[in-house]
Amino acid sequence: MVPRSSTPVLRGLATLVGAGVLALSTLPGAVGATTSGSGPSTDGGLRAAAAAPATTAPANALATTRRTIDREPLEPLHVTIEELTPGEIPGVGTVEVSGTVTNVDDETWTTLNLYPVIGDAPMTTAAELRAARRSDPLGFVGERVTDPGPYAVVDRLEPGATASYSFTVARSRLGVTERGVYWFAVHVLGQDTAGRDSTADGRARTFLPLVDQPPAQGRRPDGATVVEPVPVAVVVPIRRRVLHRADGSLAETQEWIEDLGPGGTLGRLVDSAAAAGGSPLTWLVDPALTTAAAQLAAGNPPRSIEPTVDPATGEEEPPEPTGTDGSPSGSTSTDASEDTTGSGDGSGSPDGSAGADDSDDSGSPSPSTSLVPEPVDPEDLDPEARAAARVATDWLDDLTAALSGTQQVLALPFGDLDVSGAAERAPELYARARQLGGATLPGLPEAEVATEPGISSPLGYLDADAVAMASSDETLLLTDLEVGIGADGTAPALASVDGRTVVVASSGAAQGGPGPGRRLSTVSVRQRILSEAAVRFLQDEPEPLVVVLPPGWSPDDPEALLPPLDTTWVDLDTVSDAVAGEEPTEVDPATLNYPGSQEVAELSPAMVRAVEDQIAAGEVLEEVLTLNDQVGDVLAGEALAAASYTTRPVRRTARASVEAATAHVRGLLEQVGVSTPPGVTLSSLSGRLPVTVVNDLDQPVTVRLDAQSDLPMSLTVPDEIEVGAGGRASVLLEASTSRQAVHNVSLLVTSPSGEPLGARAELPIRSAQVSNVIWLIMGSGAVLLFGMIGLRLVRRVREARRTAGP
């Protein structure tokens, strides 16, 4: 049982305090006595909705519910706020609130009365909001609104059961007038076997700003001048771990189905953006993720070595279905330009000049678009692949629709590369990732979404080397925890780090709301964003607010996140528009707070070597395949995805996947071999050697041979040897030597540029010393032969003369 207090003494004290709070809340003037006139007159103009009947959960629901609640002191009743409309205290009208009450106790509770609570003093700085979020979840925050009585009632709640509640409180009942951010809570008072007291048995808390900004320019009722809305940029990160099997197909297929589905993390993120109705947003997208979704939509085929160029012209051919295995076939050029989009003024493109126009000028599609396989008929797939294909197709369609309108799309380096680790150990990896991403987003159906280059880690930390490595046209997002937070809890929206302008995102706005309960529920995150905007709005010169949604987070209610942010005092913008015109604050790189935990999590030297090995193996395979000019990019993309920020928690698994893919590619290369006779004897000091190049791959290859001898010998081999699919090619090697001996020659099959493929053969060659003996024997035999012939002729002549007579 979860006790209502640790000891009877403490419970008695809590009862006394609660009674005092209740008495204070019922004093005249404690809350407003007027009504809004928005509800029935039976309760003085206050409309209350009865709580829905309780639902009984399964036998293990109690333990499950306890595990899902934040690790904080629990009360016997767990309360949530799932809807809060509007997200601010209105000038007139009502505030509607609804949620659930769950009995996490071991005994039944009855007559559960619900009341709203409003803070007694407003918070006016971001520092106060930070402190409030860290405050005691069970601490006092304000007066309970008890007039006209319980706002909702749950008659009975069994252990593990959950009941819904909903009520409306009039603006006049809240009794607050000073501008700022107030605590808003819901208290539940119930009765158990110990009876009833005035101490809350369950509560939920959040923030509720009071700004009272009229919709038109002019003056407020209190005479204050209406100020411009505070620019707020919400950054939606589309990033996820992308790991492959050795053959290039995507791993974790079932997890992909869950994440891309309507109830999954990525599915709800896209749905929340769609619910914004085209409001300006900034997207932070990993091109490898949309490429992976397109691969799932195509049936998750393995890596293909099928032709991607026309053998007659040598140019790339349109993609065509390649059989039941769904092997991908490219459609666009792999000639990529590193000139992505951006203003080039080092300010993170604040003027909004970067975008589709810049990408159109390049005239070069993204290399990653050639990595997208051709869609297949889902009916031809196995059940899991079919389910993944349908979910991925729907998600890509939804993402395409969400990206339409006034959106800014920042493309991460391909694979969401661990930029800080690459900057220190392998800068060339970052250059390859940026080149591979290109200027458009791959995988989107019938759409070419232009992107701008952007860099940000999931937690917003980049070390000084990574900042210095970035080019001036890239938008860098850093957390204010790294740049430095002032006494008021805020940091400048723009900072200049060693001459490089970076956008500073608010860590507080992404931390959600206070406990108890889920700090990152949709309502908690939304109210924190509104509250952070409100305290900025109250400043004489409001700073823009940039919010990067928490990593791995998605709204439980997609429609409750973005629409309520569109108020008269909030101007939803893209990042580039929000910071336009801001003067960056100088920040010394040495003062950047880059945590040691981030440094430890960076790419290890072993991981870097594994990634470089896979990229190198892919380049060799592409060079060897006569008609495929894309497999190198495919393998590079897989390797870069394994070196992602998102694979930091599973580095061993990621490294194993890279090593398995490299071994798979080397296995393919070793299928191109060389066959030689057991031995060769030269008839002189030079001659020709017959060898055969064997290609066991089902694709044509172009290779060369590298011959090496243990003793001095000159060996001439053809520059290139073309071998058809599953074919053989006979080759004559020119050999010459000045030394009479047995030469042991090694023949290696290499790529045209000389990289060994793995196959080799040993060939012993006997040179001219053995040839002289042969000539001596042959000469001696000739002398003997002709001598015997002459001797027999002489004898025949003599015999003829003797027998002829005198």
Side-chain angles (χ1 to χ4, degrees):
M1 172 179 177
V2 179
R4 300 169 70 178
S5 183
S6 301
T7 66
V9 174
L10 291 178
R11 179 166 180 177
L13 291 174
T15 302
L16 292 176
V17 174
V21 172
L22 180 60
L24 289 174
S25 66
T26 56
L27 289 176
V31 295
T34 60
T35 65
S36 64
S38 61
S41 59
T42 56
D43 61 355
L46 186 66
R47 178 170 58 88
T55 57
T56 302
N60 63 347
L62 179 58
T64 303
T65 303
R66 284 175 174 167
R67 287 195 299 268
T68 59
I69 299 172
D70 286 357
R71 296 179 180 178
E72 296 171 341
L74 292 177
E75 298 170 292
L77 302 176
H78 176 63
V79 187
T80 67
I81 298 176
E82 298 181 356
E83 292 185 18
L84 185 63
T85 306
E88 60 178 315
I89 299 176
V92 294
T94 61
V95 175
E96 299 181 9
V97 58
S98 63
T100 62
V101 181
T102 300
N103 183 359
V104 295
D105 203 353
D106 295 332
E107 61 177 89
T108 301
W109 285 77
T110 59
T111 318
L112 284 70
N113 298 329
L114 287 88
Y115 300 91
V117 175
I118 190 69
D120 52 1
M123 293 169 276
T124 57
T125 67
E128 291 179 288
L129 294 176
R130 289 178 181 272
R133 184 185 180 274
R134 295 192 299 265
S135 65
D136 180 5
L138 303 183
F140 174 80
V141 297
E143 305 294 347
R144 192 179 298 151
V145 182
T146 59
D147 186 20
Y151 281 69
V153 178
V154 176
D155 294 330
R156 185 180 182 88
L157 203 59
E158 301 289 342
T162 297
S164 300
Y165 72 87
S166 176
F167 61 80
T168 300
V169 57
R171 166 66 177 88
S172 58
R173 300 280 183 188
L174 300 179
V176 293
T177 58
E178 188 177 353
R179 303 169 80 194
V181 177
Y182 288 86
W183 282 101
F184 183 81
V186 174
H187 281 188
V188 178
L189 283 73
Q191 178 175 326
D192 64 355
T193 55
R196 175 185 297 273
D197 56 33
S198 59
T199 302
D201 302 304
R203 73 196 74 198
R205 310 186 303 173
T206 188
F207 300 133
L208 194 61
L210 170 59
V211 174
D212 194 21
Q213 172 82 337
Q217 296 291 325
R219 290 185 177 273
R220 294 186 27 228
D222 60 4
T225 303
V226 176
V227 298
E228 292 294 326
V230 57
V232 176
V234 177
V235 180
V236 183
I238 302 295
R239 59 203 323 169
R240 185 200 186 277
R241 185 170 68 228
V242 180
L243 291 178
H244 297 79
R245 302 185 182 98
D247 65 356
S249 60
L250 285 166
E252 303 175 332
T253 307
Q254 190 58 44
E255 288 82 352
W256 277 101
I257 295 174
E258 295 172 1
D259 285 351
L260 296 177
T265 301
L266 296 173
R268 291 199 302 265
L269 272 179
V270 173
D271 290 344
S272 67
S279 297
L281 295 173
T282 296
W283 298 75
L284 191 65
V285 187
D286 175 12
L289 194 152
T290 56
T291 301
Q295 183 174 350
L296 289 172
N300 195 18
R303 188 185 311 111
S304 174
I305 60 173
E306 297 288 325
T308 58
V309 297
D310 187 343
T313 63
E315 298 178 354
E316 292 193 4
E317 54 188 4
E320 297 179 357
T322 55
T324 56
D325 63 349
S327 300
S329 179
S331 60
T332 58
S333 174
T334 59
D335 181 20
S337 171
E338 293 187 23
D339 182 19
T340 52
T341 60
S343 64
D345 60 359
S347 62
S349 305
D351 62 355
S353 62
D357 293 340
D358 288 344
S359 64
D360 289 343
D361 291 342
S362 69
S364 176
S366 299
S368 51
T369 59
S370 64
L371 314 183
V372 177
E374 182 74 8
V376 298
D377 186 353
E379 299 302 324
D380 296 335
L381 305 173
D382 62 72
E384 184 179 63
R386 185 185 308 122
R390 289 172 175 169
V391 168
T393 299
D394 292 342
W395 184 81
L396 288 170
D397 289 339
D398 294 342
L399 179 63
T400 302
L403 292 178
S404 62
T406 54
Q407 312 289 307
Q408 181 183 19
V409 182
L410 299 178
L412 293 163
F414 195 91
D416 194 8
L417 178 67
D418 189 336
V419 178
S420 294
E424 179 180 355
R425 294 186 172 91
E428 67 278 2
L429 292 183
Y430 174 74
R432 183 65 187 273
R434 185 56 77 192
Q435 177 268 337
L436 192 59
T440 57
L441 205 58
L444 302 188
E446 301 179 1
E448 187 171 283
V449 176
T451 63
E452 306 168 32
I455 305 176
S456 177
S457 73
L459 296 179
Y461 290 102
L462 294 172
D463 66 3
D465 291 338
V467 174
M469 183 177 64
S471 61
S472 60
D473 65 343
E474 292 175 302
T475 300
L476 272 66
L477 292 167
L478 261 64
T479 174
D480 55 10
L481 295 175
E482 182 174 6
V483 174
I485 300 174
D488 63 350
T490 62
L494 280 182
S496 179
V497 182
D498 198 17
R500 178 65 177 86
T501 302
V502 299
V503 180
V504 182
S506 169
S507 59
Q511 288 175 348
R518 294 180 55 219
R519 297 176 182 267
L520 291 177
S521 68
T522 304
V523 170
S524 295
V525 172
R526 184 196 73 201
Q527 292 306 114
R528 182 63 184 274
I529 295 174
L530 277 173
S531 299
E532 293 283 344
V535 297
R536 283 165 172 76
F537 181 76
L538 298 179
Q539 300 171 353
D540 294 335
E541 296 182 2
E543 282 271 355
L545 174 64
V546 177
V547 184
V548 181
L549 296 180
W553 179 85
S554 65
D556 45 72
D557 182 2
E559 296 184 356
L561 178 63
L562 296 173
L565 296 180
D566 189 12
T567 69
T568 58
W569 48 275
V570 168
D571 181 17
L572 278 178
D573 276 327
T574 61
V575 167
S576 59
D577 289 338
V579 301
E582 291 292 315
E583 188 68 24
T585 300
E586 292 290 336
V587 175
D588 186 351
T591 64
L592 292 177
N593 179 26
Y594 189 70
S597 59
Q598 291 290 309
E599 188 171 356
V600 170
E602 291 175 359
L603 294 172
S604 66
M607 186 66 188
V608 170
R609 286 195 299 271
V611 171
E612 291 175 338
D613 287 347
Q614 178 171 335
I615 294 176
E619 292 173 348
V620 172
L621 180 60
E622 180 176 308
E623 186 183 9
V624 167
L625 294 172
T626 307
L627 301 178
N628 188 306
D629 62 352
Q630 296 175 3
V631 70
D633 282 344
V634 172
L635 282 156
E638 294 173 11
L640 294 170
S644 168
Y645 279 111
T646 58
T647 62
R648 280 185 170 185
V650 291
R651 280 284 194 244
R652 290 185 179 180
T653 302
R655 180 180 168 189
S657 71
V658 171
E659 291 172 344
T662 303
H664 180 83
V665 173
R666 288 173 176 167
L668 293 176
L669 294 174
E670 289 174 356
Q671 294 186 42
V672 183
V674 58
S675 174
T676 66
V680 175
T681 301
L682 298 180
S683 61
S684 64
L685 294 179
S686 63
R688 291 185 174 185
L689 312 177
V691 298
T692 303
V693 178
V694 181
N695 176 22
D696 290 333
L697 294 175
D698 58 359
Q699 299 298 325
V701 297
T702 300
V703 297
R704 69 187 301 265
L705 291 176
D706 182 17
Q708 301 173 358
S709 175
D710 60 345
L711 296 176
M713 173 175 278
S714 174
L715 292 163
T716 304
V717 297
D719 290 338
E720 291 186 354
I721 305 168
E722 293 188 4
V723 189
R728 283 164 167 71
S730 297
V731 181
L732 291 177
L733 307 183
E734 297 285 345
S736 63
T737 182
S738 60
R739 183 174 179 179
Q740 301 173 352
V742 177
H743 297 72
N744 294 312
V745 176
S746 297
L747 295 176
L748 288 77
V749 184
T750 72
S751 67
S753 63
E755 291 294 328
L757 305 188
R760 64 186 299 153
E762 302 294 334
L763 177 63
I765 300 177
R766 296 179 179 273
S767 59
Q769 181 179 7
V770 178
S771 300
N772 292 336
V773 175
I774 293 176
W775 284 115
L776 178 60
I777 294 173
M778 292 179 64
S780 300
V783 171
L784 180 61
L785 174 63
F786 287 110
M788 293 300 295
I789 293 174
L791 181 60
R792 293 194 64 179
L793 288 175
V794 171
R795 288 178 177 177
R796 284 187 179 184
V797 171
R798 288 179 178 178
E799 182 67 22
R801 288 177 179 177
R802 188 179 63 246
T803 58

